[in-house]
Amino acid sequence: MPVELVEKMLTGDQRALARLVSAVERQSAEVPEIMQHVTPLLGRAYCVGITGPPGAGKSTLTDRLIAHARQQGETVGIIAVDPTSPFSGGAILGDRIRMQQHYLDAGVYIRSMASRGHHGGLSHAAKGVIKLLDAFGKDLILVETVGVGQTELDVVAAADTTVLILVPESGDAIQTIKAGIMEIADLFVINKADRDGAERLQRDLQMMLHVRHASDGWCPPVLSTQAHQDLGIVELYEAITTHRRKLSETGQLTTRRRQNRRQELLDLLQQQLLAALTAQFENGETHSGLLAQVEEGTVDPYTAVQQMLVESGGLWR
Ligand SMILES: Nc1nc2c(ncn2[C@@H]2O[C@H](COP(=O)(O)OP(=O)(O)OP(=O)(O)O)[C@@H](O)[C@H]2O)c(=O)[nH]1
Ligand SMILES: [Mg+2]
């Protein structure tokens, strides 16, 4: 029973949490009921999205951030989203190795999510898990994604603060980094600053961001770290804290979270409508005559869609 499981989780039961996380990951039919019980408890945790190209050092940085947050007395939840691997393979295994020192800490909960079985629902599943960790009482939630596709963009956009991790080699590739991620990043980090080109990239980025953000209230800082040596981590943590304070003081945190909830509703509606309509269509339950006509070219797809929406419950006005 979802209600009992949620109540059990709220007593601090990690196994109940794990079972709820699995239900949300599967997008089980119980998700609406789970969310009904969880929603009144949300909003206490602070969520940080950590994204960047493969191998940039996201997991190593996350590992160091966890350690620092724990020293500050915060409890931490981590979600590592790996949309590229069809199995719990490479990157997730890497996460396990890099974050293993925290697996035994009861104040830390780590969950890896791969794309297998999600059929495009990965970002919804990830957002659901963020909510569970929030309700469970984690102070800080870190979400690691490889910043290459729409799923990651959707997930990091749901975070309160988004951190983009680059490496000195990203300098030449900066044009190819998904533009959306460059635009939503609140903080930039050049990791592997022990390598050549770090300072130049930092200068270039600062200049670019300064021009772009001259008029708004927050110019994203560009930090430099050497995660494997634990260098720059405290500064990164403090920059996240500063951004958080600024968002709270200006009321932007409330605005952002409202927008995110709205977006989540629209995305979910779109996903579920599409799934329902497509299933009807593919099972040949309805519209089979129309399909044949479209296939033959006697009816155009615009008219067909209009008619299908009318038939599917008056969705077309
Ligand atoms: N030279 C150098 N290597 C680093 C630094 N930070 C991390 N690394 C190394 O970079 C490699 C990749 O680190 P990860 O933390 O797994 O990177 P990631 O971005 O999580 O990788 P994926 O999740 O696979 O995309 C590891 O071998 C790290 O030890 C750094 O500051 N300098
Ligand atoms: Mg990683």
Side-chain angles (χ1 to χ4, degrees):
M1 272 279 107
V3 194
E4 282 142 34
L5 214 49
V6 171
E7 272 162 14
K8 224 168 156 192
M9 174 191 80
L10 296 178
T11 66
D13 188 326
Q14 294 247 21
R15 285 187 52 209
L17 171 65
R19 283 181 59 192
L20 288 166
V21 166
S22 297
V24 166
E25 261 207 291
R26 286 197 310 276
Q27 296 281 284
S28 97
E30 293 175 339
V31 171
E33 204 180 330
I34 295 171
M35 289 305 159
Q36 269 173 34
H37 289 92
V38 153
T39 297
L41 307 164
L42 299 183
R44 221 189 48 83
Y46 196 75
C47 182
V48 177
I50 295 174
T51 191
K58 300 177 294 295
S59 300
T60 315
L61 259 172
T62 302
D63 174 69
R64 300 302 158 105
L65 278 175
I66 300 170
H68 188 70
R70 292 297 291 141
Q71 278 169 17
Q72 310 298 306
E74 292 188 312
T75 56
V76 191
I78 298 95
I79 305 171
V81 183
D82 182 12
T84 51
S85 98
F87 307 103
S88 298
I92 284 176
L93 193 65
D95 294 339
R96 290 214 173 265
I97 293 162
R98 271 181 267 299
M99 299 182 202
Q100 64 184 347
Q101 55 163 326
H102 301 295
Y103 272 91
L104 295 175
D105 178 351
V108 176
Y109 182 90
I110 304 178
R111 184 76 175 205
S112 297
M113 302 174 73
S115 62
R116 183 174 52 165
H118 281 295
H119 307 296
L122 183 58
S123 67
H124 287 295
K127 287 177 195 175
V129 177
I130 293 174
K131 290 181 188 166
L132 290 175
L133 292 176
D134 184 358
F136 185 67
K138 292 296 179 208
D139 300 311
L140 181 67
I141 299 171
L142 304 173
V143 187
E144 175 190 338
T145 69
V146 180
V148 287
Q150 190 59 44
T151 301
E152 299 88 316
L153 201 60
D154 289 348
V155 175
V156 294
D160 297 315
T161 295
T162 299
V163 181
L164 177 60
I165 315 282
L166 299 168
V167 289
E169 295 76 21
S170 312
D172 300 328
I174 220 141
Q175 318 304 338
T176 64
I177 293 170
K178 205 171 161 63
I181 286 181
M182 292 293 284
E183 272 144 36
I184 60 169
D186 302 299
L187 298 173
F188 287 76
V189 171
I190 300 164
N191 187 44
K192 307 197 184 183
D194 48 306
R195 295 191 181 166
D196 287 344
E199 279 174 26
R200 198 178 141 223
L201 177 59
Q202 190 172 21
R203 268 200 313 275
D204 290 353
L205 268 176
Q206 271 164 344
M207 216 144 75
M208 192 185 96
L209 295 167
H210 196 70
V211 172
R212 190 191 296 161
H213 292 270
S215 57
D216 63 21
W218 176 260
C219 181
V222 184
L223 305 165
S224 111
T225 57
Q226 295 178 39
H228 68 324
Q229 302 281 22
D230 213 9
L231 290 173
I233 307 304
V234 177
E235 290 79 1
L236 172 57
Y237 185 88
E238 279 167 5
I240 293 169
T241 309
T242 305
H243 184 242
R244 177 182 186 165
R245 195 180 318 122
K246 186 246 168 192
L247 287 182
S248 303
E249 283 170 3
T250 56
Q252 282 168 298
L253 187 59
T254 310
T255 318
R256 259 185 200 219
R257 287 181 171 182
R258 285 185 73 97
Q259 277 168 354
N260 284 339
R261 288 187 206 111
R262 182 193 161 95
Q263 192 59 45
E264 194 186 356
L265 171 66
L266 290 175
D267 290 346
L268 202 57
L269 192 61
Q270 194 176 345
Q271 185 207 34
Q272 302 213 344
L273 266 180
L274 189 65
L277 288 174
T278 309
Q280 269 190 7
F281 189 63
E282 282 176 353
N283 296 337
E285 285 166 23
T286 46
H287 321 304
S288 53
L290 259 181
L291 175 59
Q293 286 171 303
V294 173
E295 281 175 347
E296 279 156 27
T298 50
V299 172
D300 71 281
Y302 289 88
T303 307
V305 163
Q306 204 168 351
Q307 201 168 326
M308 283 159 68
L309 290 177
V310 171
E311 284 174 17
S312 305
L315 289 171
W316 186 267
R317 279 178 293 155

